[in-house]
Amino acid sequence: MTEHLTHVTHPLVQHKLTLMRRKETSTAGFRQLLREISQLLAYEVTRNLPMTTERIETPLQPMDAPVLDGKKLVLVSILRAGNGLLDGILELIPSARVGFVGLYRDEETLQPVQYYFKVPQALEDRMVIAVDPMLATGNSSVAAIDLLKKAGATNIRFLCLLAAPEGIARMKEAHPDVPIVTAAIDERLNEQGYIVPGLGDAGDRMFGTK
Ligand code: URA
């Protein structure tokens, strides 16, 4: 993946995203759509995974057939909203390893503070896909990638549903080596740090906590 930013404009992705943005969409509907869209986005973010061949026998004859190469890839959910993307992708790539990064925002410094970090071993040998539906200010995404790099990851991609220009710029500045895949690039952030037009608080909408 050479592009820093990939905007997935596929009609199915765009249609499902519109349904998710609608304020009247239920929690169950939102969650189901997120699961579906995560699989379409996974298709894009894994498009150029390394491949090799394996000798197999079909009922008719032997052949060298393509299979994924290298160590199992790692999906890292940035808590808590990342879990909404994680479930669908795991259905598609059931053998993926899974990590979690938990960050909260210190109300005084406004900086992200780590409260949980658990990732698989040998990160340096694996492709790591960090997932968070909303790339807003970019503060937590940048901090999460910082932690993953500190833990040894060198081949990281970032997958989100919506991105604000501010978050994209922040990520590009801090982590120019980490390609971003997103279903939409929205207008801006509002004063509260929400993406507009956006879809609201992704965690609240998927877990029904509001
Ligand atoms: N996180 C969300 O859930 N929504 C936003 O709009 C921004 C950050």
Side-chain angles (χ1 to χ4, degrees), residues 72-102:
K72 302 284 183 282
L73 64 78
V74 179
L75 303 171
V76 174
S77 169
I78 301 176
L79 298 172
R80 70 180 161 152
N83 284 8
L85 283 174
L86 178 67
D87 293 345
I89 305 176
L90 270 179
E91 270 178 28
L92 213 57
I93 317 172
S95 60
R97 305 308 191 233
V98 180
F100 295 92
V101 179

Side-chain angles (χ1 to χ4, degrees), residues 81 132-137 162 189 192-196 198-204:
D132 188 346
M134 311 299 271
L135 176 57
T137 62
L162 293 192
L189 295 177
Q192 287 78 42
Y194 279 90
I195 298 175
V196 287
L199 50 73
D201 187 297
D204 282 346

Side-chain angles (χ1 to χ4, degrees), residues 144-196:
I145 306 285
D146 283 341
L147 290 169
L148 291 171
K149 285 185 175 174
K150 218 180 275 177
T154 56
N155 182 6
I156 307 174
R157 296 172 182 193
F158 184 83
L159 178 64
C160 61
L161 193 59
L162 293 192
E166 295 88 334
I168 295 169
R170 176 112 169 72
M171 277 284 280
K172 188 166 188 176
E173 191 194 342
H175 296 297
D177 57 314
V178 176
I180 299 169
V181 174
T182 184
I185 301 165
D186 273 14
E187 277 168 40
R188 61 185 172 86
L189 295 177
N190 71 10
E191 305 69 42
Q192 287 78 42
Y194 279 90
I195 298 175
V196 287

Side-chain angles (χ1 to χ4, degrees), residues 26-197:
S26 67
T27 299
F30 189 92
R31 207 182 286 151
Q32 177 62 26
L33 286 160
L34 185 56
R35 175 182 291 264
E36 292 166 4
I37 232 175
S38 71
Q39 299 188 338
L40 296 167
L41 293 174
Y43 181 85
E44 194 59 45
V45 78
T46 56
R47 180 179 282 284
N48 52 7
L49 286 184
M51 301 292 293
T52 184
T53 56
E54 197 174 275
R55 192 72 176 165
I56 63 160
E57 284 189 31
T58 77
L60 299 182
Q61 66 174 55
M63 72 174 281
D64 293 316
V67 287
L68 294 172
D69 194 18
K71 279 197 189 304
K72 302 284 183 282
L73 64 78
V74 179
L75 303 171
V76 174
S77 169
I78 301 176
L79 298 172
R80 70 180 161 152
N83 284 8
L85 283 174
L86 178 67
D87 293 345
I89 305 176
L90 270 179
E91 270 178 28
L92 213 57
I93 317 172
S95 60
R97 305 308 191 233
V98 180
F100 295 92
V101 179
L103 300 161
Y104 71 88
R105 193 165 72 147
D106 184 295
E107 289 308 326
E108 275 179 21
T109 66
L110 301 183
Q111 289 309 306
V113 180
Q114 171 192 337
Y115 67 85
Y116 191 74
F117 187 76
K118 186 86 178 171
V119 292
Q121 289 185 336
L123 277 196
E124 56 279 7
D125 299 331
R126 302 175 188 272
M127 177 187 292
V128 175
I129 303 175
V131 299
D132 188 346
M134 311 299 271
L135 176 57
T137 62
N139 286 342
S140 58
S141 313
V142 165
I145 306 285
D146 283 341
L147 290 169
L148 291 171
K149 285 185 175 174
K150 218 180 275 177
T154 56
N155 182 6
I156 307 174
R157 296 172 182 193
F158 184 83
L159 178 64
C160 61
L161 193 59
L162 293 192
E166 295 88 334
I168 295 169
R170 176 112 169 72
M171 277 284 280
K172 188 166 188 176
E173 191 194 342
H175 296 297
D177 57 314
V178 176
I180 299 169
V181 174
T182 184
I185 301 165
D186 273 14
E187 277 168 40
R188 61 185 172 86
L189 295 177
N190 71 10
E191 305 69 42
Q192 287 78 42
Y194 279 90
I195 298 175
V196 287

